[in-house]
Structure formats: structure tokens, C-alpha cells
Amino acid sequence: AFALYTGRAETSQHFFPMPCPMLFMDAWMKPKVKPRESSVVPRPVEIGSTDAETIPTYEEVDGSDGPQRPGLKHGASAYSVSDDAESVAESVEQLRTEHPESSNEKARTKILYVIYLVVFFDFMGSVIMLINSLYLFFPGQRTDRGDSVFYKDALGMGMEQATAMQLSVTIYGLCQATASMFSGYMADYLGRRGALLFYTFGGAIGFFLTYFCKNWGLVAYWVFRGLTGFCAGSNSVANMYIFDLYPDTKVAQKKAAYLIMIMIVSFTVGPNVGAAVGKTDLFMPFLLTAVLEIIAGVLVIMFVPRVPAKTKDDLEEDEDDVAEF
């Protein structure tokens, strides 16, 4: 509403479909330059349907560069319609080479559901112990299932139980935010699928080791919660993969918007699942989440095509593009 009121957003169609809050800044800071009128409307690239050479560009029609618009090509730069077509066609060709079945809409939907599942498990792991943590840090009667396991450790450190409990949540959240911040770089070096595999199998190992912290103490619990948080940055990679999977920007935005809903559902479901599974063992939700992460990783291997990691030349091109922009 602020962007529209100040006139910073060019159109409501440009502003409202954006799922990521950072894109608010894109709409706010973008210079208000009215694009040149043109009768040429480039067709979106569909997977398996066309190549960059068959897409009409401004250069081919009237010899001009056409209207410039901010966008992403291996990072962030300003590019023309023909540059956009070439970049999209390159990603499409990579998908089509590795997995020809990705041209099929049914197969593409299956890939999308697997990506959604990975994000769901990552965010559910951050809140699955919210209810059980109360029993871990405060006095309880059922010591056989882990009640008060960290109560004496917190007192020994001179900390209040509520502070020690909240610190475990804070550590996981900060590490998860850091992982999301650097997930783009990881996707550049490992590829999209490689990054998703790191987050799924790495998260599984972290949750599995956290299960044994009931015998290792509070400090170990904090350490392994932090390490698990570093393996929970799949949301950014999922966003990038969706835009690779659906070259039509409007379609990709609609698909990526579901990630917000998935995160909200995970925050709602996670604590209740943890409470139900932890009735006999408060640490059992960690084992459950580890198994789910392994299942998600296997599904990534089976159904998610590999988008090759960037080469050194690609990364240098990124730096040049950003500097030029």
C-alpha cells in the first residue's frame, strides 16, 4: 500500500504477485521510467516447446534494444528481452538434457511437490520441539521420558529455565537465517539439486545426533540445534528452482507463493506433531524428522532434475553484470 501510495510501484500487477518481502524494495527503489511503446510482445519460453532463436526480439524487429527492465541473469543485472530469452532457454536446455521428462507438465508438477516437501520439513524442524521444550527445561515428574533433563544444566550455568529454552530456539533460528542467506552461493557451486540434497541429508544427520543430546547435556543440545539450523536453508533454493522450472515469470510467482503457505502450515503442524510423538520420549520427534528428511532426500534424487553448478566463468560474468548494473 505504501509503494502504491507513493507511486513507487509501476503497476499493481507488478507489485502484488511478489511472494518475497525483499521484492518490496525492488518495487520501491526502481526508477520510474516509462518504457517505450512497442507492438512486439515476446512469447514465454515453455519447457520442451521452443528455443531462444525462435522468440521474436526487439533487435530482430526494429533494430533497437527495446525497453530495459531489472532482472536476474546468473545473479542480478539489467538485461534486454533477448538476454532474458537466452538465459531462460539455457536453463530449459539444462533441464531437458538431464531429464527429458521434465518437459511433461505432470512430471514438472511432481518435481514441484517434492520441492514443497523439502521446505515443509525444514521449517517443521524449527518448531517441532516448542511444546516438548517446556518439559525439558522445567521440573517434571516423568523423568523416564526426559522431563527436566536440562533443568540442572541450566541452573548450573546460572541461567533461568525460560532463558535456556529460548536460547535453543534462537540458535536454531539464527543458523537457519544464515543458511538461507548463503544458500544462493551454495546453489551456484553445488547446483540446485546438490543444495537440496545437502539440506535434506545434512538436516537428517543433525536431527539424528540431536536425539542423543539427552545423554550429552545442554551445551551439546545447543550445538547440534545450531548445526541442524545450518541445514535448513532450502527455501531460497526452492525459490530459484521454481523459477528455473517455470520460465513464465507470472506462473513461477504463483508457484513460489505457495512456499509462504507451506511455512505457515509447518509452524502450525510442527508443535502438535512433536507433542503427539513425544508422549513416551520427548526426543523422539528428532528421530521422526530425521526419517522424513531422508525420505525427502531420496525423493529429490528420484524426481528432481539436476541443474549444473556454475563454472568459474559464469561467476566472473555475474560479477561483471552486477558491476555494470
Side-chain angles (χ1 to χ4, degrees):
F2 172 78
L4 294 175
Y5 174 75
T6 57
R8 299 290 184 177
E10 292 180 353
T11 63
S12 60
Q13 185 179 11
H14 168 81
F15 181 77
F16 282 110
M18 301 299 183
C20 177
M22 288 300 295
L23 293 176
F24 170 81
M25 297 302 296
D26 174 70
W28 182 36
M29 298 174 67
K30 183 187 298 183
K32 297 196 307 180
V33 179
K34 184 177 181 180
R36 177 175 59 85
E37 295 293 334
S38 175
S39 60
V40 180
V41 179
R43 292 180 286 107
V45 179
E46 295 293 339
I47 290 184
S49 62
T50 184
D51 295 318
E53 295 80 33
T54 65
I55 300 176
T57 62
Y58 291 95
E59 289 84 352
E60 296 173 357
V61 176
D62 56 12
S64 66
D65 293 334
Q68 297 290 316
R69 62 184 179 88
L72 297 177
K73 179 183 179 184
H74 302 308
S77 68
Y79 60 85
S80 65
V81 174
S82 61
D83 295 330
D84 188 22
E86 293 175 1
S87 177
V88 168
E90 181 181 350
S91 298
V92 169
E93 187 62 29
Q94 291 172 351
L95 286 173
R96 186 165 45 188
T97 302
E98 293 292 333
H99 281 248
E101 68 274 12
S102 63
S103 302
N104 185 288
E105 181 62 29
K106 183 177 180 181
R108 190 157 49 177
T109 302
K110 190 182 299 183
I111 295 169
L112 186 66
Y113 287 160
V114 172
I115 294 174
Y116 287 160
L117 195 65
V118 173
V119 175
F120 177 76
F121 289 154
D122 272 355
F123 279 88
M124 189 175 72
S126 64
V127 296
I128 198 169
M129 290 294 290
L130 282 183
I131 296 177
N132 292 5
S133 293
L134 295 172
Y135 300 99
L136 296 179
F137 290 90
F138 290 90
Q141 299 178 352
R142 297 189 55 185
T143 56
D144 58 315
R145 68 169 187 170
D147 284 13
S148 311
V149 66
F150 296 140
Y151 174 70
K152 292 183 179 180
D153 291 344
L155 291 179
M157 297 179 185
M159 301 177 63
E160 295 183 356
Q161 290 79 13
T163 304
M165 181 185 71
Q166 181 59 35
L167 186 58
S168 63
V169 179
T170 302
I171 290 174
Y172 185 95
L174 289 176
C175 293
Q176 185 181 29
T178 304
S180 298
M181 186 186 306
F182 291 99
S183 59
Y185 299 99
M186 182 176 296
D188 288 343
Y189 287 99
L190 299 180
R192 307 283 195 260
R193 189 175 75 159
L196 290 176
L197 291 176
F198 171 81
Y199 289 133
T200 51
F201 290 116
I205 295 174
F207 285 119
F208 179 76
L209 293 175
T210 307
Y211 172 78
F212 296 99
C213 289
K214 57 184 176 182
N215 302 320
W216 297 343
L218 179 56
V219 175
Y221 181 75
W222 286 337
V223 170
F224 286 112
R225 285 300 279 166
L227 293 177
T228 308
F230 280 123
C231 298
S234 63
N235 183 47
S236 300
V237 180
N239 235 315
M240 290 185 285
Y241 201 103
I242 289 174
F243 277 83
D244 285 340
L245 200 60
Y246 294 91
D248 188 337
T249 305
K250 291 184 179 179
V251 176
Q253 287 175 351
K254 292 178 181 178
K255 303 297 183 181
Y258 284 104
L259 294 174
I260 304 280
M261 182 194 70
I262 290 172
M263 287 186 279
I264 295 174
V265 172
S266 65
F267 280 118
T268 304
V269 173
N272 296 287
V273 172
V277 176
K279 288 184 177 181
T280 58
D281 186 351
L282 293 177
F283 285 82
M284 187 59 66
F286 290 124
L287 286 184
L288 172 64
T289 311
V291 172
L292 294 177
E293 289 278 18
I294 292 174
I295 294 174
V298 173
L299 292 176
V300 170
I301 294 175
M302 293 175 59
F303 298 109
V304 176
R306 174 181 173 269
V307 177
K310 290 187 178 181
T311 63
K312 183 178 180 181
D313 294 337
D314 292 333
L315 297 175
E316 292 177 353
E317 182 181 350
D318 287 350
E319 296 177 357
D320 295 338
D321 289 341
V322 172
E324 181 182 353
F325 178 63

